[in-house]
Amino acid sequence: MKKISLIFVIVLLALIAYIETPTASINKNQVLFYGQTNEDQEVSSNTDEIFGAPELEYKLEETKEEDGFIVEVYREYEIYKNRQGDVVKTVATDNTEYIHYAKY
């Protein structure tokens, strides 16, 4: 019985290890790398070129008062930067967060 359970655990670990590898067929629709690929080897002098994945940041969009509470509304933004770290583009997402403070 111990041998069967040991074999089962080894097979299960091997299956999990295969699924977690980026080259697994189950992961074929996922983006593996956000940076420059081998196809884009030439050096670009364009400073507006986006490099890497966007950074996510919440910014205060609105402050209002509702039912004796102060409500701050924050919207998530995708911040795209170039290789020098300068902001190239800012895109608002649909994600919002609401923080409620009791009014004294």
Side-chain angles (χ1 to χ4, degrees):
M1 188 67 175
K2 281 187 174 183
K3 287 184 180 183
I4 293 174
S5 61
L6 181 63
I7 291 172
F8 176 74
V9 169
I10 291 172
V11 169
L12 184 64
L13 288 174
L15 178 66
I16 291 171
Y18 170 72
I19 291 173
E20 290 295 319
T21 59
T23 57
S25 61
I26 196 168
N27 297 329
K28 66 182 176 183
N29 292 331
Q30 295 181 357
V31 176
L32 299 177
F33 183 72
Y34 283 104
Q36 190 175 14
T37 62
N38 290 338
E39 300 164 355
D40 302 329
Q41 288 284 327
E42 53 188 73
V43 178
S44 174
S45 62
N46 185 2
T47 58
D48 291 341
E49 179 183 336
I50 295 172
F51 180 75
E55 294 178 7
L56 300 176
E57 181 179 308
Y58 281 93
K59 295 182 181 180
L60 180 63
E61 189 172 82
E62 178 183 6
T63 303
K64 56 188 175 183
E65 191 174 321
E66 289 181 356
D67 300 326
F69 288 95
I70 297 173
V71 180
E72 291 181 347
V73 181
Y74 289 87
R75 180 170 299 278
E76 183 182 49
Y77 287 85
E78 294 177 348
I79 311 294
Y80 294 91
K81 295 183 178 183
N82 61 11
R83 286 185 181 272
Q84 290 78 27
D86 302 324
V87 175
V88 175
K89 181 169 75 169
T90 304
V91 178
T93 66
D94 293 333
N95 296 335
T96 54
E97 295 288 333
Y98 299 88
I99 300 179
H100 297 263
Y101 297 103
K103 185 177 179 184
Y104 291 105

